[in-house]
Each structure stands twice: as C-alpha cells, then as structure tokens.
Amino acid sequence: MTRSFRLLCLMSVLFAATVFIAPTARAQEGHPAKGTWVGYWGPTLTPQSRIVLVIDHDGKTMSGVYQPGPNAAPMKVARLDITPGKPAVGVARGNSGQAPQTPAVLPIFKVHFEIDAKDARGNPVAIVADGTMNNVALPNRSITGTWTQTTGGRTTTSEFKVGRQ
C-alpha cells in the first residue's frame, strides 16, 4: 500500500466518524434537566457566588448535589414542574407563507431546589431556589430565577443563572 492510499483511507474513516457517530452521540443526552449546571448567584454590583449543581432525572423524579466535592450537599428537595405547551392552530398547508391563526405555545419548565449546606466556617446555610429553564431543547439551556440563602439568621435573596455544561 502506498502512503497516499493509507492517508486517504484514514481520512475516510475520520470523515465517517465525524458525520455518522458524532451526531448520534449528541442526540443521546437524556432528560433536559440532567447534567452539570454551572453559574452564579448574587447582586450584580457585588462579587457573585459560584454555583455548581449536578442534577439527575430518571424520567419521574429529580435529585442532585450542590457544590460536588468534599463539601457537597445533597438536594433535600428537587422538583421539576412542566406546564405543557400547545401546538400552532390553523397553519396553512404547503408553502403559502401564511402565519398560523394561533401560534404554538412552548412548554414551561419550572425548577425548585431546597438545600441544607455549610459555609466556609462550617455554619449551616439553608438555600431555596426557584427558576425557569430556558432554551430547553437546545444544548445551551440555562436556568434563571431567585436564589434565597439563609445563614446565621440573615437571609439574602438575589437572582441566579446556571448553564448546562
């Protein structure tokens, strides 16, 4: 076999792997809530606190871990509430270019977390987060909402945003 023939065979294999295997692997990512989510919470004018959530969803129930590692805290409550969407109504058939009489309504994915964690000094921290999942069908989905954290009798409420990695 000549060197150029071997190179051509190798390039053909790499092309086939890129075209046929990569899209298949991407399509098997599972439930939209499942995965590692990274982001921040806190007022935008002060240094924000980093959030790492590892969420699992078995098709019925959601669970997860906050700040995985040596100081990980399991989610005491993890809930996903889905409001179903509605398809468009009155869509013209063919390529008439007409808009539907009633446009489609996308489903709404609401999340709720309750976590009992500890701060850097070992003091208890109670966390409650409520948010909405955005871009659910896309790889760049995110969750935005309200993060409430109570420690030492002091409660702080702010916005949070995490993105799926």
Side-chain angles (χ1 to χ4, degrees), residues 1-14:
M1 262 198 268
T2 66
R3 184 174 181 193
S4 59
F5 180 73
R6 279 185 278 173
L7 182 60
L8 181 62
C9 290
L10 178 61
M11 289 174 54
S12 298
V13 169
L14 290 174

Side-chain angles (χ1 to χ4, degrees), residues 45-115:
L45 299 177
T46 63
Q48 295 183 319
S49 298
R50 188 163 175 79
I51 301 169
V52 178
L53 302 169
V54 177
I55 300 173
D56 191 19
H57 198 289
D58 64 6
K60 293 182 182 180
T61 59
M62 189 163 63
S63 61
V65 175
Y66 168 67
Q67 307 297 50
N71 299 321
M75 292 181 185
K76 182 170 70 171
V77 176
R79 188 172 63 238
L80 175 65
D81 298 317
I82 303 172
T83 303
K86 295 180 183 175
V89 177
V91 178
R93 295 192 181 265
N95 292 328
S96 66
Q98 294 179 348
Q101 294 170 353
T102 305
V105 175
L106 296 174
I108 300 170
F109 286 62
K110 295 281 188 181
V111 296
H112 174 83
F113 305 121
E114 294 179 21
I115 304 162

